Amino acid sequence: MLTKRIIPCLDIKDGRTVKGVNFVDLRDAGDPVELAEIYAKTGADELVFLDISATEERRKTLADLVLRVAEKVNIPFTVGGGISSVEDVDVLLQNGADKVSINSSAVKNPQLINDLAAKFGSQCVVVAIDAKNIDGKWIVHLVGGKVPTELNLFDWAKEVEERGAGEILFTSMDNDGTKDGFANEALARLSTELNIPIIASGGAGTMQHFTDTFKDGKADAALAASVFHFKEIEIKDLKKELKNNGIPVRL
Amino acid sequence: MKIVIINYGAGNIQSIKFAIKRLGFEAVLTDDVNEIIAADKVIFPGVGEASSAMNKLRASGLDTLIPTLKQPVLGICLGMQLMCNSSEEGGTKGLGIFNVDVVKFTNKVKVPQIGWNEISNLKTNLFTSVKENSHIYMVHSFYAPLSNETIATSNYDVDYSAALQKNNFYGTQFHPEKSSVVGEQILRNFLTSNF
């Protein structure tokens, strides 16, 4: 049986992890590769690296990081952040990334989804969507939730599926950072209306939240950052709990 | 031991090379016919779309070479699918090594299948020391149905071939190079077994 995936997300700036991490066993707390290795060993199913650097060298730095991660890590990983062309993606996949995640560039140039799916296959194209519930309507936002668009979440999600996305990473800006749980109602609607996997993001605070997003939110995978980085939740414990709740996981 | 990874411009070759390196072996990426023929073990990777990958194989003449190889050959993911008779993806004629036709999952399930699934009914030395119902990483929209060449079974939508074997040819639908310690064991088995 296909299992539900648990995905830690690492924010990267200039090749280093940004948000603080609470891993006493890390020699270098800012080294994404070392952190990735620990996650791979302790039960993470997949990893996401989100590059938030804004320097001119970012492309090269990210490509170098991907190569270093691929050398050490034996589980799949996705890279995102500032990817806007077929050439960007080509380098990252050649260096060993399994998937790339695109967000603003897909909104600005939806044809990019078609181009990436045609050249590399849908399986490596993740479209990340950030949305906020405004007066009962889920509106897609850009730049980490700062800039609203005209797009409705469900219409845009349907469009990216039709254009060839292999997976959707949906972050509810209303839930992100709250630790109050995932946006399960919207997630369940996405999962029902679309026929590609949906990754839930934003709001993880307790183990129960993960159970809820798999059961009520019908999510295929759940992504979180701080609860894992600060060891508020150990992935091994989380997976045991999920299994006890009847959710298929890889132990 | 000489290990080659067939390089025909299709796939996540770097990850396979690194996975082999983590096991303490070195692999060479090549499209050179003589180098491939001389190797002890051959890995045939593949990610992407079947018909364009097959076109790349034809353009380099590797489509006629691969079925004639005598040493152990391991096709991974799309590599395994191209070793079959045909694929529904792009109406592609395959290498015809495995006597099975690759078809698409129905819309009863989410397509592509992405994630960790179980393998069972494990046969051959490829799965030495691998437990039944171990988890491996799968990413695919098309699959090889069960056949008498099936050496591992998985279930998504239907029971299907997670791995195939005929003579010196092996194929896995899953990615051993991305399947944690289980995948490492399977790769190690392929590299060290005398099939």
Side-chain angles (χ1 to χ4, degrees):
Chain A
M1 187 183 230
L2 182 65
T3 57
K4 302 290 187 183
R5 288 169 281 155
I6 299 296
I7 309 176
C9 177
L10 284 71
D11 282 353
I12 304 294
K13 193 174 182 185
D14 305 326
R16 310 271 295 166
T17 46
V18 181
K19 282 179 190 164
V21 292
N22 184 19
F23 278 89
V24 285
D25 34 359
L26 272 183
R27 288 186 302 273
D28 173 1
D31 179 11
V33 180
E34 205 181 333
L35 187 57
E37 278 184 274
I38 289 179
Y39 277 129
K41 281 187 188 124
T42 52
D45 294 307
E46 214 173 297
L47 297 165
V48 168
F49 296 87
L50 188 61
D51 186 40
I52 57 167
S53 30
T55 55
E56 302 233 328
E57 307 80 47
R58 63 177 302 171
R59 280 190 175 77
K60 191 180 176 309
T61 314
L62 187 59
D64 288 347
L65 173 67
V66 165
L67 197 62
R68 289 194 292 127
V69 172
E71 189 172 5
K72 298 283 185 191
V73 173
N74 60 10
I75 60 170
F77 67 97
T78 302
V79 281
I83 296 167
S84 59
S85 70
V86 169
E87 295 72 40
D88 289 348
V89 173
D90 201 16
V91 172
L92 297 170
L93 295 181
Q94 274 188 34
N95 279 10
D98 297 279
K99 303 183 244 185
V100 294
S101 164
I102 54 172
N103 190 334
S104 303
S105 57
V107 172
K108 287 174 196 154
N109 171 24
Q111 178 63 30
L112 179 62
I113 305 167
N114 303 62
D115 294 348
L116 294 178
K119 175 130 202 238
F120 307 108
S122 291
Q123 81 290 332
C124 65
V125 184
V126 182
V127 175
I129 306 178
D130 299 341
K132 248 184 218 176
N133 190 333
I134 298 173
D135 301 329
K137 282 186 181 160
W138 282 95
I139 304 297
V140 175
H141 281 61
L142 302 180
V143 201
K146 290 188 201 113
V147 181
T149 68
E150 310 256 292
L151 295 168
N152 169 283
L153 165 65
F154 302 101
D155 297 340
W156 174 235
K158 195 75 202 157
E159 182 178 342
V160 308
E161 177 183 35
E162 281 161 8
R163 286 180 178 276
E167 211 167 18
I168 285 176
L169 167 57
F170 165 54
T171 304
S172 161
M173 305 312 299
D174 298 320
N175 300 58
D176 200 29
T178 64
K179 299 202 172 181
D180 276 342
F182 296 90
N184 293 325
E185 212 172 306
L187 280 160
R189 189 172 157 195
L190 283 174
S191 208
T192 307
E193 290 184 5
L194 273 63
N195 204 44
I196 54 176
I198 309 291
I199 306 168
S201 162
T206 66
M207 295 207 251
Q208 185 63 40
H209 292 153
F210 287 87
T211 298
D212 294 343
T213 205
F214 291 131
K215 282 199 167 164
D216 306 335
K218 299 187 167 73
D220 298 284
L223 176 142
S226 61
V227 290
F228 298 138
H229 298 332
F230 293 104
K231 289 202 168 184
E232 290 158 24
I233 297 176
E234 294 276 0
I235 295 175
K236 284 211 159 117
D237 299 339
L238 171 60
K239 286 188 155 181
K240 276 182 205 147
E241 171 91 3
L242 290 170
K243 195 183 176 202
N244 289 339
N245 289 330
I247 293 160
V249 289
R250 175 181 70 108
L251 282 174
Chain B
M1 180 167 59
K2 180 95 191 257
I3 303 160
V4 302
I5 302 171
I6 298 180
N7 184 7
Y8 63 109
N12 198 341
I13 288 174
Q14 198 66 256
S15 295
I16 298 171
K17 197 177 173 193
F18 282 140
I20 291 170
K21 196 173 160 195
R22 286 195 295 270
L23 294 173
F25 300 94
E26 285 293 332
V28 179
L29 300 179
T30 185
D31 59 356
D32 182 273
V33 170
N34 292 327
E35 201 168 13
I36 295 170
I37 290 173
D40 298 301
K41 298 279 161 84
V42 175
I43 292 179
F44 176 40
V47 171
E49 199 274 331
S51 64
S52 55
M54 199 61 209
N55 285 338
K56 285 176 188 164
L57 279 183
R58 284 200 198 94
S60 54
L62 292 168
D63 62 321
T64 52
L65 171 73
I66 294 170
T68 66
L69 292 172
K70 300 288 179 258
Q71 67 276 63
V73 178
L74 177 66
I76 296 175
C77 196
L78 182 63
M80 182 208 84
Q81 294 188 357
L82 295 179
M83 289 159 83
C84 298
N85 278 339
S86 71
S87 172
E88 197 179 336
E89 188 177 24
T92 307
K93 187 177 181 299
L95 299 175
I97 295 166
F98 300 128
N99 187 21
V100 63
D101 297 301
V102 172
V103 293
K104 193 168 187 183
F105 287 123
T106 67
N107 280 341
K108 282 185 280 175
V109 289
K110 291 189 176 187
V111 182
Q113 171 177 222
I114 299 182
W116 298 77
N117 204 328
E118 291 161 313
I119 45 173
S120 55
N121 304 314
L122 306 177
K123 293 173 193 159
T124 79
N125 290 344
L126 192 64
F127 297 104
T128 300
S129 305
V130 177
K131 289 191 187 126
E132 286 285 322
N133 305 316
S134 290
H135 286 100
I136 42 68
Y137 186 74
M138 298 260 190
V139 186
H140 61 129
S141 302
F142 295 80
Y143 68 94
L146 297 180
S147 82
N148 57 10
E149 292 157 359
T150 302
I151 55 167
T153 306
S154 197
N155 180 280
Y156 190 68
D157 194 11
V158 294
D159 284 335
Y160 67 94
S161 299
L164 293 163
Q165 181 258 329
K166 183 184 185 182
N167 304 326
N168 55 317
F169 294 97
Y170 292 75
T172 62
Q173 180 58 65
F174 55 89
H175 287 272
E177 77 279 15
K178 289 288 173 178
S179 294
S180 191
V181 289
V182 173
E184 283 169 353
Q185 182 62 43
I186 293 166
L187 264 186
R188 189 183 294 113
N189 289 341
F190 176 74
L191 297 176
T192 58
S193 288
N194 290 313
F195 289 109

